[in-house]
């Protein structure tokens, strides 16, 4: 069969190396204005200035920005119904809003509808890969993976484990959870672009026996991920210390049960110390920095530069529904503002890198996603540089690529996304404006 060949024209921006946290000079940035990106059978095969010849389907997006699809490393599909829930901090928010919403995921029809809505919404925000928490219910995991598979997305997820300190409707037990996880791993892990993540919600909602089971699971199958929350909120940190008095720190709880490795993704990590950061570095685990959630739930300000200086991998994440938007651009802007409060400058390059190549490498998926390297899967988004008169004006006066990209992050809205492509297939197209 002849290959399916597609060429997309636009301003290509991606990264070949880490650009640093505050450098605006463009080291590591690959900017190819008005180029054709060449895709064959869903894989990137090159980029060139001249228009490719016959045999290539062409899509001319000149004057638009083409970026790798965003990677959201921590987001809850089961929480779309609680975005913007007013007036609580983490532990209260879980009890008042979140556990009731997650209870509804036991219903297969609800789980299917929410999973479809959620994965479509990711694509409509320019996110083509994500690490996702559904709920404690097996059916919510099946629904999530099925929705992602239908859309060709690179999705990592797993059944939320919690066998204590939660209402019965969202609690499991060690044996039942272990059985469910084995079936889910067998069914979904490594199927196409899906991978399974052992997902203890956070230490306070799992017994020692369940965390030990999670550690056994993680060791049972190569390539499994681990995702959880750590050190997000001060009351939560105190609670974890009471529940696990033998652990040196909250993070150490996970270490003791064999849950930290190079495929571990830990949400938040605001209240960590130097020893914790060294442990993250040594195990290769990453922190998913969730600035929107951290601000909305009043959790605290993550120390990105301290983590970086300690050699910890840091990616960006929406943490919807603690976070208030699935947009990785809004997430980037919140990250910038959180760092600004600490007197730390973060470049547009660092923000974009963290949501593309940086996350891909931290997930050990740099060969597949996060860049336009030859051989990578063609997960990409086509964006308008500006649509409103104000944003257009700002782009006109921007003096260099960094200024353009930072203004694009700052002034953009969801309407800027023209198309999202996953593995060389168009999966989102901006609806035509009503007349
Ligand atoms: N800690 C434990 N569960 C959750 C959750 O669902 N969201 C956030 N932000 N933190 C958590
Ligand atoms: Zn979360």
């Amino acid at each position: 069969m002849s290959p399916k060949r597609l060429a997309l024209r636009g301003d290509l921006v991606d990264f070949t190396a880490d650009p640093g946290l505050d450098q605006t000079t463009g080291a590591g940035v690959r900017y190819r204005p008005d180029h054709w990106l060449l895709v064959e059978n869903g894989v990137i095969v090159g980029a060139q200035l001249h228009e490719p010849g016959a045999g290539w389907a062409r899509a001319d997006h000149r004057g638009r920005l083409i970026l790798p699809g965003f990677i959201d490393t921590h987001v809850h599909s089961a929480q779309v119904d609680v975005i913007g829930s007013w007036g609580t901090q983490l532990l209260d928010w879980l009890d008042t809003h979140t556990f009731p919403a997650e209870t509804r995921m036991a219903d297969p029809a609800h789980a299917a509808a929410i999973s479809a809505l959620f994965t479509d919404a990711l694509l409509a925000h320019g996110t083509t890969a994500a690490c996702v928490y559904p709920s404690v219910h097996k059916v919510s995991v099946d629904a999530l993976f099925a929705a992602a598979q239908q859309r060709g997305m690179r999705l990592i997820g797993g059944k939320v484990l919690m066998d204590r300190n939660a209402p019965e409707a969202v609690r499991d037990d060690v044996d039942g959870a272990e059985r469910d996880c084995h079936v889910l791993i067998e069914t979904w892990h490594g199927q196409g672009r899906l991978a399974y993540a052992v997902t203890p919600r956070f230490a306070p909602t799992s017994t020692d026996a369940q965390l030990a089971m999670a550690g056994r699971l993680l060791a049972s199958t190569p390539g499994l991920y681990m995702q959880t929350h750590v050190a997000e909120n001060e009351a939560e940190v105190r609670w974890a210390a009471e529940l696990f008095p033998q652990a040196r720190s909250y993070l150490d709880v996970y270490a003791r049960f064999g849950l930290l490795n190079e495929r571990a993704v830990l949400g938040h990590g605001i209240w960590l110390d130097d020893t914790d950061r060294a442990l993250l570095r040594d195990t290769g685990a990453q922190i998913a920095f969730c600035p929107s959630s951290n601000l909305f739930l009043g959790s605290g300000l993550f120390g990105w530069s301290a983590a970086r200086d300690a050699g910890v991998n840091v990616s960006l994440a929406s943490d919807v529904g603690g976070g208030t938007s699935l947009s990785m651009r809004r997430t980037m802007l919140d990250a910038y503002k959180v760092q600004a409060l600490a007197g730390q400058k973060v470049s547009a390059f660092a923000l974009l890198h963290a949501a593309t190549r940086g996350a891909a490498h931290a997930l050990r998926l740099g060969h597949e996603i996060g860049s336009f390297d030859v051989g990578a899967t063609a997960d990409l988004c086509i964006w308008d540089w500006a649509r409103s008169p104000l944003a257009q004006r700002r782009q006109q006066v921007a003096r260099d690529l960094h200024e353009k990209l930072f203004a694009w992050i700052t002034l953009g809205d969801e309407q800027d996304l023209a198309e999202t492509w996953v593995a060389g297939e168009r999966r989102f197209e901006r609806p035509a404006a009503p007349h």
Side-chain angles (χ1 to χ4, degrees), residues 7 59 95 104 117 173 210 246 287 312 340 348 397 402-403 406:
D95 288 336
R104 298 198 289 276
L117 176 84
D173 57 72
Q210 189 171 59
Q246 69 286 14
I287 291 291
V312 179
V397 300
H402 184 265
E403 204 174 318
F406 195 66

Side-chain angles (χ1 to χ4, degrees), residues 74-76 79 90 93 133 201 228-229 232 267-268 290 293 319-322:
H74 180 120
V75 59
H76 299 255
Q79 294 178 12
L90 175 65
W93 174 85
Y133 294 60
R201 180 182 208 106
T228 191
H229 298 81
E232 172 179 4
H268 308 289
C290 309
S293 168
D319 192 29
V320 155

